[in-house]
Structure formats: C-alpha cells, structure tokens
Amino acid sequence: MQSPAGLRSRRQAIARSWDLARAAVLIPAGLPVPIPGSDQFHDFHAHPEFTYLAGARTPGACLAFDPAEGWVLFAPVPSLEDRVWVGDGEDLEALAGATGLPVRPLPGLRAWLEHRRGEALAILGNDDITYRPAGYGIESWAALELDVDHSLSTRLGEQVAESRRSKDPSEVALMRAAADASRGGHLLALRTALPGMSERQLQIELEAEFFRHGAERTAYGSIVGTGSNGAVLHFSPTARQLRNGELVLIDAGAEWEGYASDVTRTFPASTRFEGIHRDLYQLVLDVQQSAIATVRPGVEYRDLHLAASAHIAAGLVDLGILRGDPAGLVERDAHALFFPHGLGHMLGLATHDAGGCLKGRTPSDRFGLKWLRADLPLQPGYVVTIEPGIYFIRALLTAPARREQYRDAVDWDRVDTLLDAGGIRIEDDVLVTETGADVLSGAIPKSIPEIEALRAEAHSR
Ligand code: GLY
Ligand code: MN
Ligand code: MN
C-alpha cells in the first residue's frame, strides 16, 4: 500500500518535470473489455501510468491535470445495473483518502474538458477515451472539439517513464511481496512436480499457491514447457505430460497491487540433472550469477548482455557445441542461435516496464541484440530481470540459411542430437542498490544441490 502523502509528492515531482504553462492532461485507467457473448469482461488491468500517478486501479476512472488547478480524479459512480451485476465498486471518499486526490464523480469529466477547449490536450494512460468515450460518460469525443497534441503526449509520457525507472521504497516493498508470493508457487512446483503431471496441472498448482500467498493476479500468462516445449520462449501450458529424462521450464510471476514479479526456474523431471542438461544448467547458472555480481550503478545493461553472451559462447565452445573464439562468435551473433533473447528488462508496474531504452537509443536489428529490451545505464532503485538461457529451438537450428551462415561455427551433428533437449532459463528480479544488487527473488532455490534436494522430496512423497 502506498501512502497518500507519497503519492502526492510523486505527482508534484511529475508536474514540476512537465513544466506546463497552460495545457490539460488526461490519464485514463482504461475500460473493462467485454467478452463477446457473455455479460462479463476480460480480466481488467489498469494502465500502469494511471496506477503510478493515481495510486489506484479503478476501471473506467480518469486522472486529469491542469497546471492552474492541479490534479483531480474522476471516478465512476455505479449505476443500479452495475451494482446488481458487478457490485458497488469503490467508494469515492475512500478513494480520495487512499490516493490523496480530490475525487469527483465521472460525469463531471465532460464539463472539465469543455472548459479547456482550445488548450493543448495531452493523453497518457489508455487512449480508449477517444474511441470509447461513452464509457467515461462522454457521448461523443468529436463533439468536444478537442485537439490531442501528440508530441506533447509523447514528451509527458517519456517523463513519466523516466520517473518510473527508479522505484521508491514503497514500490520496492510491493515488488518484494510479489517476489515472495512467486517463491511460494515455484517452491511448490519444485517440491511436487512428478513425471505424468501435465503442464496445465503444474500451472494450476503454481498459480493457486501464488494466490494462497496473497497475490491478486499473475503478472503475465504463466509459461510452462516440458521437454522440447521448454525451447519455446513464451510457451503456453498444454496437456503434455512431464516425462522422465526431461526438463521443465516454468516462467511465472505473481502480481502485487499492480507490481510484477517475473521468475524462471528450470528443473529435471527426475531427482537429478543428468548429462548435457547438467552441464548446460550449470553454465546458465554461472552466467546468471556473474551478471548479477556485475550489477551496480553506472553499468550499461547492454554491456551486461554482451558479457553474458560471451560467457554463454565460451561455455558452448567448452561443451563442443560452438567452435571458435567466443568474442568472435558473439561479434557474428552465433551465440544467439542458442540465446536469442535479451538478458532481461525493466520490471515494475509492467512486466516489460517503461523506460527500458534511454532516449535517443534505438533497438539494434542485429540477430544477437534485436530482442534486448533494456539499453541504459543502471541507477539505484531500478529493478531489472537477469534471465540468461540456452535453448534448442528447432525453427532456428534447422533453418538452412542459418546452417549455411554458421557452417563453421557450430558442431551441427551434435546439435542434431539435441534438437529435443528443450530449454533452460534462470530468471531473477534484481534491485540496483547504491553499491550493487539486491535479488528480490533470491530466496527461490536455483543451485543444483538445492534443486535436487527439492526434487528428491517430490519423488519421496
Ligand atoms: N515472463 C516474460 C519475460 O520474461 O519476459
Ligand atoms: Mn522476464
Ligand atoms: Mn519471465
């Protein structure tokens, strides 16, 4: 829970950074999206810019700002029909108390906007107000005769993204709570998964444990891949059952008051990591731990990614999968055949949080860099994921053009024997401190002895 005083000072700081003489700013939370053919809605997720600035996640609410009058929150007042079908919603007075904002009933928003006709208008948050205005009590957006200033919206949005990068202590507390709930789920999976259980069963058990630990939602669709499915980076769980000799990769995180955790663990179906799985797991773990040990203010995230890529390339050379000098292999992006994604991303009110790329930097189109989602120097208060992986992705490893391009860089006969080996990823949530790193998800076991002890527990039940 964030304090109303803290939220007020956050909004004051943002307003100062905007430095607006005259303008109107709207930050809609977004409207629930109906599910066709039912009287219900998709799971509602308030826009993170709204949550950040309002300190609330009220569906259909709209935060508004004007430099002369300051901030005001317009909140929906439920109709009789809403109250019958959905419930009473949030009490406006309670909302004012929790957010430190003046709160007015949503029908006042139209008049607020009419008074600002002719002024520059910026829209942050969910812009559904322009194409679903009725949801905000406005009959027609066009009839308001407002011109949205898109470049102003971009500038103000960038300033909010910049401010969101560094988490304040109240945000860190929520992210710790999210990571603790994730710990419960991952521990349960490590302790109970057995051959014969389906990906779906694992997902259900893990998510139930998140909720039992107090989480309100999962931060993103849980990824559970057994065997070769573990090589699909964002695999949605199916009825496929875990088999002996395979690995299972679980990338799942609990959400706490809108704040995400994002955690991946990979473990054997049996009680032990065997053969190449053991070597590759230890390599990914070493890469992850060296990257975490390097985290400190001033370090460029892109350099962490490139160092991890070189570490993976060197390990794959030692294991006889890649051939050549690791630095040269990374220059040619050969490591990306096995580690195609970035080392991680910013984390916060979104799983891939705002502000990951420093202004003026554009994503590279290089095979080894194009999925890097963070490119900035780290600063205290940033929370980033560190998530190296090694995968045997058929689509990449059987493409004739890639085989030709990397003919000399890969032992392709060896790779052909590993096409069903799946994937390994280890992912933690890392807070940058003044002197180094604090791993928010660090209590979730990942060393080989810890994981094997938990797997032995599962098999002894
Ligand atoms: N869980 C999604 C990701 O790691 O990016
Ligand atoms: Mn992630
Ligand atoms: Mn993840």
Side-chain angles (χ1 to χ4, degrees):
M1 188 80 169
Q2 307 190 69
S3 77
L7 292 165
R8 263 197 299 266
S9 58
R10 178 183 294 170
R11 287 187 290 267
Q12 276 164 5
I14 285 287
R16 266 197 308 276
S17 78
W18 283 347
D19 191 25
L20 296 165
R22 271 193 79 191
V25 186
L26 286 188
I27 305 150
L31 295 166
V33 176
I35 299 172
S38 86
D39 280 343
Q40 288 185 308
F41 300 89
H42 288 285
D43 190 22
F44 177 72
H45 195 216
H47 195 286
E49 286 170 344
F50 175 86
T51 307
Y52 180 71
L53 291 170
R57 289 170 291 150
T58 316
C62 184
L63 182 62
F65 175 77
D66 160 306
E69 285 185 26
W71 298 91
V72 54
L73 178 62
F74 291 95
V77 184
S79 63
L80 179 65
E81 188 166 327
D82 291 335
R83 294 175 70 180
V84 170
W85 287 92
V86 189
D88 288 346
E90 281 171 283
D91 173 72
L92 268 46
E93 245 177 70
L95 201 52
T99 61
L101 282 161
V103 177
R104 292 194 218 152
L106 189 63
L109 177 60
R110 198 189 67 181
W112 189 92
L113 282 166
E114 279 168 351
H115 280 122
R116 285 155 184 84
R117 196 171 278 153
E119 286 181 21
L121 172 68
I123 298 188
L124 277 59
N126 193 326
D127 68 354
D128 61 355
I129 195 165
T130 61
Y131 55 89
R132 293 179 66 194
Y136 295 91
I138 295 165
E139 256 165 62
S140 153
W141 182 257
L144 284 174
E145 295 176 15
L146 296 165
D147 281 327
V148 180
D149 183 332
H150 294 286
S151 64
L152 181 65
S153 305
T154 303
R155 173 172 84 76
L156 304 190
E158 281 169 357
Q159 280 164 308
V160 176
E162 237 171 72
S163 164
R164 280 172 57 192
R165 282 191 185 126
S166 191
K167 274 63 185 175
D168 67 27
S170 69
E171 294 180 285
V172 171
L174 298 175
M175 295 188 75
R176 271 189 213 286
D180 287 347
S182 291
R183 173 172 179 263
H186 280 275
L187 266 177
L188 183 81
L190 282 158
R191 279 201 175 111
T192 57
L194 285 172
M197 280 176 80
S198 71
E199 293 161 349
R200 180 69 75 199
Q201 264 175 293
L202 285 168
Q203 173 205 359
I204 292 164
E205 297 301 332
L206 170 109
E207 291 181 1
E209 196 69 0
F210 289 172
F211 298 135
R212 282 193 282 266
H213 278 76
E216 293 161 7
R217 326 173 351 126
T218 59
Y220 51 91
S222 300
I223 296 158
V224 181
T226 57
S228 56
N229 290 344
V232 180
L233 300 181
H234 283 178
F235 190 78
S236 289
T238 68
R240 187 185 187 282
Q241 292 176 347
L242 181 57
R243 300 174 197 157
N244 253 320
E246 291 182 344
L247 298 178
V248 53
L249 183 156
I250 301 184
D251 179 347
E255 188 179 294
W256 200 281
E257 290 190 30
Y259 284 84
S261 60
D262 182 4
V263 177
T264 308
R265 291 293 182 264
T266 307
F267 58 85
S270 67
T271 55
R272 282 179 57 80
F273 287 98
E274 303 284 1
I276 188 73
H277 282 155
R278 191 174 191 90
D279 296 332
L280 291 169
Y281 186 88
Q282 189 61 53
L283 172 57
V284 175
L285 184 60
D286 291 344
V287 171
Q288 202 229 16
Q289 288 179 322
S290 326
I292 292 173
T294 316
V295 165
R296 70 177 62 84
V299 167
E300 286 281 349
Y301 195 89
R302 183 189 166 99
D303 291 341
L304 285 180
H305 172 79
L306 288 170
S309 302
H311 196 157
I312 285 176
L316 291 177
V317 169
D318 289 345
L319 292 171
I321 292 170
L322 281 175
R323 292 177 172 146
D325 150 57
L329 290 167
V330 171
E331 264 167 42
R332 295 172 62 191
D333 294 323
H335 68 286
L337 289 165
F338 304 96
F339 172 44
H341 60 75
L343 184 64
H345 47 85
M346 303 288 278
L347 187 71
L349 282 168
T351 304
H352 293 179
D353 207 25
C357 214
L358 207 63
K359 197 170 158 70
R361 296 187 186 179
T362 46
S364 164
D365 56 9
R366 259 180 67 180
F367 175 41
L369 285 171
K370 68 179 176 182
W371 288 322
L372 179 60
R373 314 234 182 260
D375 184 5
L376 76 178
L378 297 177
Q379 300 297 337
Y382 289 14
V383 180
V384 293
T385 67
I386 300 284
E387 50 177 306
I390 294 178
Y391 313 86
F392 293 89
I393 303 173
R394 266 179 190 272
L396 281 180
L397 297 175
T398 60
R402 298 244 183 247
R403 288 216 169 198
E404 184 50 33
Q405 184 183 357
Y406 295 111
R407 191 155 31 109
D408 58 321
V410 177
D411 180 342
W412 288 108
D413 290 338
R414 182 85 191 286
V415 165
D416 281 337
T417 68
L418 294 170
L419 287 175
D420 288 324
I424 294 165
R425 175 161 68 250
I426 306 173
E427 175 174 26
D428 279 302
D429 303 342
V430 177
L431 168 69
V432 184
T433 65
E434 294 291 335
T435 52
D438 178 356
V439 184
L440 303 180
S441 51
I444 307 176
K446 61 184 173 185
S447 74
I448 289 181
E450 284 172 316
I451 290 197
E452 290 185 342
L454 290 162
R455 299 303 298 133
E457 238 184 82
H459 281 264
S460 67
R461 277 169 190 271

